[in-house]
Amino acid sequence: MPSGEGQPLLTQSDLQNVRGVMDSSDRQSLRSMNSETSYVANELRKNLYSTRSSIIAQVGAISLFLYIFYHIMANDIIFFTGHPALNNFAIFALTQSIILVQPTSTAAEKQLGATVHGIFNVIAGIAFFGASSIIFLNKAAHQGIHFKSVHARLGLVTYILLFANVLLGITQYWTPYIYGSVSRAKSLYKFHRVIGYVSLAFSFITTALSTTTDYNRNIFGMKFIVLFGLVIVTSIGLAIRIRPQKFHFKFRRS
């Protein structure tokens, strides 16, 4: 029998050393991944509160949320209360989702930002659906006239825009192949951005116009000038952060 035949190529000690090296490499890789994820998350958090424009937007958004919340809680809680409460929460979530991705630069920031942005939008969409259901059921219970006021009509348009845009955003990001290809889905991002800003603007206007309803005049008592002022402050903060080049619109010359 040749020398060494039948003996293992690696001793138990050698195997332990290999496992130790592999474990060490895996730990280093995990630490590196965790560090990169933490860095990206930190950069996204900075978008929310670490710049002058984000601070302006947040002061307006938080003040708007608290002002409406105060008037909700200052009155009796009834079935209808869910309508302004859910709308208020949804608009705040929608505003945060936009501030979060203004802007994202690296591929990692875009990926994580899109995921969190989508979560915010889904939450806002669910809240808007709840709010719209409550007002519809409340009107039906009291045999009220639907879409009588400017607030109600604009609210309907706003809901349609919001639901359509949430669906567009989800399918573009998570199921891009229904559009034929990933590149074609990405080419529609600009429309998602535009509709997002337009629907948020409609949400703000609808909120301000809620002061013209009989319910607000008789019960809530919110002031148009206050709501409008807070909407303007929030809009200024958001507008400063818009990057026109992100829309990628191309116009043909005649």
Side-chain angles (χ1 to χ4, degrees), residues 41-73:
N42 187 53
E43 289 300 304
L44 289 176
R45 279 195 294 269
K46 288 180 181 178
N47 278 354
L48 291 173
Y49 55 76
S50 295
T51 64
R52 291 181 181 178
S53 56
S54 64
I55 291 172
I56 293 172
Q58 292 289 21
V59 166
I62 294 172
S63 298
L64 179 64
F65 175 83
L66 292 177
Y67 180 73
I68 297 173
F69 183 74
Y70 167 77
H71 284 275
I72 291 172
M73 299 306 296

Side-chain angles (χ1 to χ4, degrees), residues 138-169:
N138 189 70
K139 286 282 187 180
H142 296 86
Q143 297 181 342
I145 301 174
H146 292 281
F147 316 119
K148 180 181 179 181
S149 65
V150 176
H151 167 73
R153 293 169 187 167
L154 188 59
L156 176 62
V157 174
T158 303
Y159 284 142
I160 293 172
L161 282 174
L162 287 165
F163 294 145
N165 203 41
V166 169
L167 181 62
L168 176 62

Side-chain angles (χ1 to χ4, degrees), residues 188-203:
L188 298 175
Y189 282 178
K190 55 181 174 285
F191 298 107
H192 178 66
R193 291 188 181 99
V194 170
I195 298 172
Y197 284 115
V198 171
S199 58
L200 182 62
F202 273 40
S203 297

Side-chain angles (χ1 to χ4, degrees), residues 15 38-39 46 51 84 101 114 125 127 137 147 152 166 168 201 210 217 232 238 243 245-246:
L15 288 172
S38 297
Y39 173 78
K46 288 180 181 178
T51 64
V101 292
L137 293 173
F147 316 119
V166 169
L168 176 62
S210 67
R217 291 195 189 102
I232 291 299
L238 291 170
R243 290 185 174 182
Q245 66 271 23
K246 287 279 188 177

